[in-house]
Amino acid sequence: SIDLSNAAISLIGAIMLAITLPQYGAGSLLFVLALLTLLGAINGAILAFTHVPSFALTLGTLGILQTAALVVSGSETIYVSENRELVTVLYRTKFMSIPLTFWMGVGVAIAYWALLRLTIIGQHMTAVGKNESGAILSALPTKFVKIFAFALSGFTGGLAGLSIVAQAGSASASGLGSALLLPGIAAALVGGTSISGGLTNPINVVFGALTVAFVPIAIQAIGFSAQSQSLVYGVFIIAVVTLTTTRTRGFVIK
């Protein structure tokens, strides 16, 4: 399965955080993370019980959440005034000259690596990713696994939304974080995640993200405009998938 809605989840999370933070303070952090985890779980439940292709489902969710971001924000930038320091401290505080938001990402990657390698639910996720039919025949709780995986995606999107507000001190439907989908997919693929599922190392995805982060710099260095980024990401994704997908006789790519 693939979640195309995670960038939109991050964006709506950033907007909700910017709106609620002045009034509710630290409570808004828990509320937004819980809400986005629930949104992810709903995605997973629909996928698990209706068998709608994840690409189509999350593409629809992407459109819904993008519209929700515009409506909730009023198509304006929402600046955080009160309690701003609760989140901006994550970006202003640095360790080894690098903001804590980056180290938070590294910590999440390590935690997810441990989840996949050292826990039963993580092994079930890998099994479903590699061979869902085999997992069903082995009586694994495949529906719960999908719901759990998409809930994790929503939770992680919430952390990304938190990082957006920490860096910008504001949130908007067209501002920082509004173009994360293609770079996010590219980072996962460069980090060794298989597009067909069942193979990933979250720690390697961090290095994939660092590699992808150089794309804007490279584009400007060779003289292309900033608007060319999406083109480069698109070509990059196609090239990586083409070069890394295993093809055997009779193998069908869905």
Side-chain angles (χ1 to χ4, degrees):
S1 301
I2 186 170
D3 186 358
L4 297 179
S5 67
N6 51 15
I9 285 178
S10 301
L11 194 60
I12 191 68
I15 292 172
M16 291 295 296
L17 182 62
I19 292 174
T20 59
L21 190 61
Q23 184 174 359
Y24 298 105
S28 67
L29 302 177
L30 298 177
F31 167 74
V32 169
L33 288 175
L35 175 63
L36 299 187
T37 301
L38 177 61
L39 287 177
I42 292 173
N43 259 346
I46 295 174
L47 174 69
F49 289 100
T50 67
H51 303 290
V52 176
S54 61
F55 182 93
L57 170 66
T58 57
L59 186 62
T61 308
L62 167 67
I64 293 171
L65 292 178
Q66 285 180 334
T67 302
L70 288 169
V71 172
V72 172
S73 66
S75 300
E76 297 179 353
T77 300
I78 301 173
Y79 294 94
V80 181
S81 53
E82 301 178 19
N83 297 321
R84 179 175 176 174
E85 67 282 354
L86 291 176
V87 291
T88 55
V89 66
L90 295 174
Y91 188 74
R92 292 178 179 175
T93 304
K94 298 184 177 181
F95 174 69
M96 297 176 60
S97 300
I98 302 174
L100 287 183
T101 46
F102 171 80
W103 295 113
M104 181 174 68
V106 173
V108 169
I110 294 173
Y112 286 175
W113 176 89
L115 174 72
L116 288 172
R117 299 295 190 275
L118 305 178
T119 68
I120 294 176
I121 183 64
Q123 293 173 12
H124 287 175
M125 290 168 67
T126 300
V128 172
K130 286 185 175 180
N131 186 343
E132 184 173 354
S133 297
I136 293 173
L137 293 174
S138 300
L140 297 185
T142 55
K143 288 184 173 62
F144 173 76
V145 168
K146 290 184 178 182
I147 295 172
F148 182 79
F150 275 83
L152 272 186
S153 180
F155 173 76
T156 313
L159 294 179
L162 171 62
S163 299
I164 291 171
V165 178
Q167 180 174 346
S170 63
S172 73
S174 58
L176 182 65
S178 60
L180 288 176
L181 180 58
L182 287 180
I185 295 174
L189 294 175
V190 173
T193 300
S194 171
I195 195 69
S196 58
L199 178 63
T200 187
N201 185 331
I203 297 175
N204 287 346
V205 174
V206 174
F207 294 98
L210 291 173
T211 301
V212 170
F214 283 106
V215 169
I217 300 174
I219 289 175
Q220 294 180 10
I222 60 181
F224 289 109
S225 64
Q227 288 74 18
S228 302
Q229 289 185 29
S230 293
L231 172 64
V232 174
Y233 287 132
V235 172
F236 195 67
I237 290 171
I238 293 173
V240 171
V241 173
T242 301
L243 294 173
T244 58
T245 300
T246 301
R247 296 170 180 80
T248 58
R249 186 176 180 180
F251 182 71
V252 178
I253 296 185
K254 298 181 180 180

